[in-house]
Amino acid sequence: GWPPEHRGEGLGTALVSLLADRARTRGGRYAYLQVLADNVAARRLYERLGWQVHHGYTYLTLGGPPHG
């Protein structure tokens, strides 16, 4: 996420809006976001911009912690 000193300045709103507008002007009809369920700040931003939850997801691992 944004560093705490930059939160609330409208940077996320500007960035997400710019990307959506650019996609729309290039013929994009659909867009999808993936955000962690516990990322409350991001979810609040996206919902304020009109995004809606479509479905959830789960990570599964076999035999130990995930590698990354």
Side-chain angles (χ1 to χ4, degrees):
W2 299 111
E5 65 271 15
H6 293 294
R7 288 192 178 154
E9 294 181 0
L11 299 172
T13 298
L15 180 61
V16 174
S17 297
L18 174 68
L19 293 172
D21 289 343
R22 290 232 174 138
R24 198 174 299 114
T25 61
R26 287 168 172 75
R29 295 184 359 188
Y30 306 100
Y32 302 90
L33 289 168
Q34 184 172 332
V35 61
L36 295 173
D38 65 351
N39 190 339
V40 176
R43 290 181 60 155
R44 195 175 309 141
L45 165 67
Y46 300 141
E47 289 170 3
R48 190 172 62 247
L49 294 175
W51 295 82
Q52 298 175 4
V53 174
H54 182 272
H55 67 276
Y57 63 93
T58 303
Y59 287 106
L60 303 174
T61 63
L62 180 62
H67 295 59

